[in-house]
Amino acid sequence: MTLNQIHTPSDVQKLNQQQLNELSHALRKFVIESVLESGGHFAANLGVIELTVALFHTLNFDKHKLIWDVGHQSYPHKAITGRKSLLNTIRSLNGLSGFPKINESQYDHFGTGHSSTALSAAMGMATFNKLNNKKEIAVAVIGDGAFTAGLTFEALNNLWDSQLNVWIILNDNQIGIDPNTGALNSHLKANHCKQLEQFYQFFGANYHGPIDGHNLEQLIPALQQLKTQNGPQLLHIKTVKGKGFPEAEKEQTKWHSATKFVKIDGTKDTNSHQSIKWQDAFGKILLKIAENRPEIIGITPAMPSSCGMQLAMDKFPARFFDVGIAEQHALTFAAGFATSGARPFVNIYSSFLQRAYDQWIHDVALQNLPVTLCIDRAGLVGEDGPTHHGAFDISFLRCVPNQKIAAPKDAEELAIIMNWSLNEKGPVAIRYPKGNIPDPKFIDQYEFSEIRQELSAIFAPKIISPIVANKPVILSTGHATNLAIQGNSQKIGHIHLPFVHPNAYPQIQEFFPLATSIITIEDGSLQGGWGMGISAEIQIKMPNLLFKNLGIPHQFITHGNNQELYEMCGYSPIAIEKTIQELLA
């Protein structure tokens, strides 16, 4: 049995046990070879090969529904639902999405990308079936990491006495990107099966397992047994993230995803590691701060290695916390710390911060508490696509009182602003992008004793290129400043503003009488964003001045590499240069 013999999911239903084992072997081999060439999420997909085969053999998903929580483990699902020939395009512009996407396939029943949404969605589908006397089953595949988020527990709480035909497949592999934390993880790790059974039955789900999630001889009978039951069912399976690829099994965090063209022998291309990433710069700066300031504590929702906080967590384990996939708890936890005299640094990806907006407003900003929020992956994030683009943080934060929002362009500004935030009496948000930092050497040379800038200097506009009379002027912030520098071959006037908040006009009003027009550039949403805000401020004083706002347009941006996406959105260096030439003409 080869993967080439599978043309539709119904082909999987016809296979016997030996053929299913052969298909699993072929599917694993294909995913390994494909992802190591194209790049993408790796270890999680290898952990669900047998589960994917077993589910498609047991249920007909032309009528039943299947939701993969987070969805970064859906590559095998895509391969056996008619997209095998396109898997080499995954996460590239105009190629397959790295996550389930409802307009990509009839078998992608729900788009996922953020954790812990699957059970709520499955319950909605199952409730519709119940109201319409349909017997179809909604299946939610949820990892033990996704069970740390509040949304899953909210859904569980509503399962009670529902009699919904929902299957919960608990994919227990003991790891998200980093090892999981919390009470549920401790019980799973210790195989406290009786307590787990009592826990899930308390919420109204019939517990089955645990079983080996890589053994089709156990998986298929277990799934067939579930078909004979009514109401919510939970099947607990044990899997290994990275199964079948020894390097990924040993280093599961490292192999969560793979870059393009990783050698099949498992050795990564060292050329991709010459630069320092923004999250690494953050981690090194945070560690230096923590070494000098014992009141500093750190909090991250399940991303210590990815956000860079692992360095400080390793050295000061009592002061740095991974709270699991719980962005809301992370911020209110920090607020509690802040009332007690600590200075919390909270690191959350921009798109994940959307889940904690209420806590930032009500628990931090409203109480004017000294919390430093470090917003990683702000702006476009490339191949992860619309579920992960950090497009909206400027727009939804600018309207909140009692805070300052910073957007450094490089490591030096990041270090200065993080250090400065320690003495602020209220909340500070610092946004920075995914990718390599422009000045990596600065990080190792950095010492706080060398920073002697006054508050006014930190807030002051930075003149990147001198203002030229009767020419356009560029105003930029954050990472967009680096794109503007590359695109300003005409050397028109260019001002970088490291802070993003209202009332910027008084700082920069002296430059505008010379300008014919203003170009604002930001790596964020134009709608409600920094550029439109600062344009409105200036136009009150100078109503005849022409403005051109560059940034992310008012739409959800697809996946692709950032250079392609910057060009698509109109603020790549080439697009900036074209805008300058048009205004000069």
Side-chain angles (χ1 to χ4, degrees), residues 442-497:
F442 175 80
I443 299 300
D444 294 324
Q445 300 167 351
Y446 179 76
E447 293 292 343
F448 287 118
S449 59
E450 297 173 2
I451 302 300
R452 293 287 184 268
Q453 278 153 298
E454 300 295 331
L455 182 62
S456 59
I458 293 172
F459 278 92
K462 308 297 190 296
I463 307 299
I464 306 297
S465 296
I467 308 302
V468 181
N470 301 315
K471 294 283 181 70
V473 172
I474 296 171
L475 298 180
S476 63
T477 189
H479 175 56
T481 294
N482 301 311
L483 301 176
I485 290 170
Q486 296 173 51
N488 188 16
S489 63
Q490 302 291 328
K491 298 301 179 186
I492 65 171
H494 180 189
I495 305 168
H496 163 67
L497 281 83

Side-chain angles (χ1 to χ4, degrees), residues 8 63 82 107 155 164 180 225 300 321 380 413 424 445 451 519 524 552 563 582:
T8 67
K63 61 176 184 177
Y107 298 104
L164 295 175
N180 296 323
Q225 174 64 22
T300 180
F321 305 89
L380 295 177
E413 285 190 350
E424 276 294 283
Q445 300 167 351
I451 302 300
I519 306 169
I552 300 173
Q563 287 66 39
E582 289 173 351

Side-chain angles (χ1 to χ4, degrees), residues 128-198:
F128 176 85
N129 291 338
K130 183 179 179 181
L131 291 173
N132 290 275
N133 296 313
K134 294 184 176 182
K135 301 299 183 182
E136 283 86 347
I137 298 163
V139 182
V141 181
I142 309 176
D144 49 326
F147 254 104
T148 65
L151 185 57
T152 298
F153 286 102
E154 290 175 30
L156 268 180
N157 193 52
N158 278 272
L159 261 184
W160 174 253
D161 202 29
S162 68
Q163 291 304 305
L164 295 175
N165 284 327
V166 172
W167 291 4
I168 305 168
I169 311 296
L170 171 55
N171 181 22
D172 175 10
N173 60 17
Q174 300 296 307
I175 193 167
I177 294 178
D178 295 288
N180 296 323
T181 62
L184 179 59
N185 174 70
S186 296
H187 286 296
L188 289 169
K189 197 169 185 178
N191 287 316
H192 291 159
C193 298
K194 188 63 178 177
Q195 290 92 325
L196 290 168
E197 182 177 5
Q198 292 172 343

Side-chain angles (χ1 to χ4, degrees), residues 281-561:
F282 161 80
K284 290 186 175 186
I285 296 165
L286 182 64
L287 177 59
K288 289 189 177 185
I289 290 175
E291 289 171 341
N292 289 281
R293 300 285 290 265
E295 76 275 19
I296 298 305
I297 62 102
I299 302 167
T300 180
M303 308 298 284
S305 62
S306 299
C307 79
M309 197 176 284
Q310 191 69 54
L311 287 174
M313 191 174 289
D314 290 342
K315 186 161 185 179
F316 302 107
R319 291 164 52 194
F320 288 82
F321 305 89
D322 176 0
V323 297
I325 303 174
E327 294 86 358
Q328 294 169 286
H329 168 58
L331 277 177
T332 306
F333 184 42
F337 261 116
T339 64
S340 305
R343 181 74 205 204
F345 277 78
V346 183
N347 190 299
I348 305 179
Y349 286 12
S350 174
S351 66
F352 301 164
L353 176 62
Q354 293 160 190
R355 293 184 161 194
Y357 189 45
D358 176 72
Q359 284 68 35
W360 181 251
I361 294 175
H362 282 247
D363 299 335
V364 179
L366 179 62
Q367 301 187 96
N368 201 28
L369 294 175
V371 175
T372 299
L373 173 62
C374 296
I375 308 171
D376 199 343
R377 271 66 164 182
L380 295 177
V381 298
E383 291 81 359
D384 279 338
T387 59
H388 284 61
H389 290 319
F392 307 113
D393 56 87
I394 292 177
S395 298
F396 68 64
L397 288 177
R398 282 185 75 251
C399 60
V400 180
N402 285 353
Q403 62 170 350
K404 294 182 174 68
I405 309 169
K409 72 180 189 304
D410 53 37
E412 183 175 10
E413 285 190 350
L414 177 62
I416 290 169
I417 292 168
M418 285 175 65
N419 192 36
W420 159 80
S421 75
L422 298 175
N423 298 316
E424 276 294 283
K425 304 301 183 186
V428 174
I430 308 171
R431 76 184 306 264
Y432 50 88
K434 180 180 182 180
N436 295 330
I437 205 157
D439 54 345
K441 292 181 180 179
F442 175 80
I443 299 300
D444 294 324
Q445 300 167 351
Y446 179 76
E447 293 292 343
F448 287 118
S449 59
E450 297 173 2
I451 302 300
R452 293 287 184 268
Q453 278 153 298
E454 300 295 331
L455 182 62
S456 59
I458 293 172
F459 278 92
K462 308 297 190 296
I463 307 299
I464 306 297
S465 296
I467 308 302
V468 181
N470 301 315
K471 294 283 181 70
V473 172
I474 296 171
L475 298 180
S476 63
T477 189
H479 175 56
T481 294
N482 301 311
L483 301 176
I485 290 170
Q486 296 173 51
N488 188 16
S489 63
Q490 302 291 328
K491 298 301 179 186
I492 65 171
H494 180 189
I495 305 168
H496 163 67
L497 281 83
F499 278 81
V500 180
H501 49 73
N503 306 316
Y505 178 80
Q507 297 177 282
I508 50 180
Q509 60 181 327
E510 63 186 278
F511 303 114
F512 298 130
L514 299 175
T516 57
S517 55
I518 303 293
I519 306 169
T520 69
I521 312 173
E522 63 196 299
D523 189 19
S525 173
L526 286 172
Q527 191 73 23
W530 172 78
M532 287 187 176
I534 204 168
S535 299
E537 282 186 63
I538 296 169
Q539 283 182 315
I540 292 173
K541 306 289 184 179
M542 304 183 70
N544 296 322
L545 199 58
L546 176 65
F547 284 86
K548 183 71 174 178
N549 303 121
L550 305 183
I552 300 173
H554 191 48
Q555 64 193 66
F556 290 108
I557 306 303
T558 187
H559 55 276
N561 70 57

